[in-house]
Amino acid sequence: MANKITPQPGILDIAVYKGGQSHLDGVSDVLKLSSNENPAGPGEKARAAFVRVADQLHRYPSTDHGALRAAIAEMHDLDADRIICGVGSDEILAFLCQAYAGPGDEVLYTEHGFGMYRIYASSVGATPVEVGETDRRIDVDKLLAACTARTRLVFIANPANPTGTMIDRAAMARLADGLPEQAILVLDGAYAEFADGYDGGAALVEARENVVMTRTFSKLYGLGGLRVGWGYGPHEIIDVLNRIKGPFNLSSPALETALAAVKDVAHVEKCRSDNARMREWLRSALAKHGVASDPSYANFILAEFGSKSEAEACDDFLKTQGIIVRRVAGYKLPRFLRITVGDEAGCRRVAHAIGKFKEGAK
Ligand SMILES: *Cc1c(COP(=O)(O)O)cnc(C)c1O
């Protein structure tokens, strides 16, 4: 059959996203520190809600997610009418591309930015534009200089993944103020809760017409497997996104479990403080073994090695010890490994193994 069946422009440019590895052949006690998952998982209340929904699985779920939006709004002091829930925050990023970018449009993201920005931009035929960073930090001047009359979306994660670095409030505001008038600033707040005192950009959303914030239940809330995220933005933009959202995008287990999770403040606070404590512990333990890292504002550390081959050798060694971390050469960081902050035992185990690797290398 002659090939007249072809996908839309841009689709074949997409390299399929690779998630963090989760298995090692022949190893039973695997420590997975490759996908920034919460080592504690969801709290008891969320687990109980998930089990309870089993009795209601013949019912279609809510289409407007009213109860979950109300709970999120209460928790974060936001306007529930301007929240939209999605299948992970990924879906909100996809909606933004579908709604606001197409062939001829440019979608900006940064040098070490999250891989999905490029994928979603390409999937709608828009042109992904990668903008340089400075010392693994988002550079507002470079982003503003890269804007053109065709720029429609600017994606930044704050704190960023895989670097763990952050830009401050003033820098975010300067970016929002300096964008061309047809462009939206998307603040991906997947790790916002891990940064002490940071609102994820909510205040900036309130103060501007051109800023959208995305958040997720996948990281701090320990619900990566459930797939729930949300976005917050101006009325006009959220209205547009709601028009393209499938009516039943979130399942009832997803809605009920996320609702219980958001209300379980005690569990969330414990996870947040455990992460902060172990993050600092891991950073200084690695430093003692001669492995530096930038201060991280997220739930992972970007460990720096002397060369690409050293980073790879360390990764290979960790695998022999049953530990999976993330190579980030695909994010233009070949000398680095990204290591999720695990529980105390996990942090000790990975630090010990890296120490052993460094000793062996001497
Ligand atoms: C994990 C992550 C997400 C969130 O993904 P979900 O679809 O909500 O699971 C978004 N952005 C970044 C930068 C991430 O690392």
Side-chain angles (χ1 to χ4, degrees):
M1 196 171 64
N3 231 336
K4 298 241 154 114
I5 301 175
T6 56
Q8 291 291 307
I11 307 275
L12 293 179
D13 300 333
I14 299 173
V16 174
Y17 182 86
K18 279 211 191 90
Q21 197 180 346
S22 57
H23 298 284
L24 291 174
D25 288 340
V27 183
S28 55
D29 183 20
V30 170
L31 174 60
K32 186 185 177 211
L33 301 175
S34 56
S35 297
N36 300 341
E37 294 152 341
N38 178 336
E44 282 309 319
K45 290 180 177 155
R47 290 171 211 245
F50 185 84
V51 170
R52 254 191 335 265
V53 187
D55 294 333
Q56 294 296 321
L57 289 177
H58 55 304
R59 305 285 182 206
Y60 269 92
S62 144
T63 60
D64 70 2
H65 312 147
L68 179 58
R69 287 188 297 105
I72 293 170
E74 192 184 326
M75 170 70 151
H76 297 279
D77 197 18
L78 303 173
D79 174 3
D81 290 340
R82 291 190 284 132
I83 293 173
I84 178 171
C85 299
V87 179
S89 52
D90 266 10
E91 193 180 34
I92 310 296
L93 305 175
F95 288 159
L96 284 160
C97 286
Q98 280 175 49
Y100 290 100
D105 295 331
E106 293 170 348
V107 175
L108 271 51
Y109 59 95
T110 64
E111 188 179 356
H112 309 301
F114 187 45
M116 294 310 296
Y117 307 146
R118 180 185 196 95
I119 291 180
Y120 289 135
S122 297
S123 76
V124 297
T127 306
V129 178
E130 183 184 297
V131 178
E133 301 190 13
T134 300
D135 297 333
R136 298 177 298 281
R137 279 165 187 81
I138 287 170
D139 185 322
V140 169
D141 294 310
K142 286 183 184 168
L143 276 166
L144 291 176
C147 285
T148 71
R150 301 191 302 173
T151 306
R152 300 300 306 262
L153 290 161
V154 176
F155 286 108
I156 66 166
N158 206 30
N161 171 21
T163 57
T165 61
M166 251 190 118
I167 59 170
D168 65 19
R169 224 172 264 275
M172 291 193 313
R174 198 158 66 79
L175 180 55
D177 288 341
L179 292 186
E181 57 187 9
Q182 77 286 352
I184 299 172
L185 173 61
V186 182
L187 297 172
D188 177 340
Y191 303 96
E193 293 93 345
F194 296 110
D196 218 16
Y198 176 51
D199 68 355
L204 199 59
V205 173
E206 300 295 1
R208 301 290 190 289
E209 311 263 276
N210 65 342
V211 182
V212 172
M213 154 178 98
T214 61
R215 306 287 286 265
T216 185
F217 283 86
S218 300
K219 306 285 160 53
L220 177 66
Y221 288 84
L223 291 170
L226 196 67
R227 313 303 305 130
V228 186
W230 51 281
Y232 188 63
H235 261 298
E236 294 71 20
I237 295 177
I238 299 304
D239 172 64
V240 165
L241 302 187
N242 270 318
R243 290 167 195 261
I244 56 176
K245 176 182 87 62
F248 302 111
N249 62 330
L250 288 182
S251 67
S252 48
L255 289 167
E256 295 302 324
T257 308
L259 179 62
V262 88
K263 291 179 170 174
D264 189 356
V265 178
H267 180 70
V268 171
E269 285 310 319
K270 176 166 191 326
C271 293
R272 197 202 317 266
S273 70
D274 284 351
N275 177 73
R277 186 167 47 85
M278 292 319 299
R279 178 177 63 196
E280 294 325 304
W281 183 90
L282 182 61
R283 181 161 183 259
S284 67
L286 296 189
K288 280 179 203 144
H289 295 307
V291 177
S293 57
D294 297 322
S296 167
Y297 295 90
N299 66 340
F300 55 84
I301 281 197
L302 187 67
E304 181 172 8
F305 293 86
S307 64
K308 176 171 198 250
S309 58
E310 194 195 3
E312 289 176 350
C314 184
D315 182 43
D316 290 340
F317 177 74
L318 292 177
K319 287 201 178 101
T320 68
Q321 306 297 298
I323 302 172
I324 307 175
V325 300
R326 186 71 161 258
R327 289 191 189 191
V328 284
Y331 289 91
K332 303 219 160 99
L333 294 162
R335 287 190 299 113
F336 296 80
L337 295 174
R338 192 192 68 191
I339 306 171
T340 302
V341 176
D343 59 13
E344 182 162 348
C347 287
R348 287 186 185 280
R349 186 168 152 195
V350 72
H352 178 74
I354 289 176
K356 227 161 106 181
F357 167 78
K358 281 289 199 176
E359 277 305 307
K362 273 181 197 159

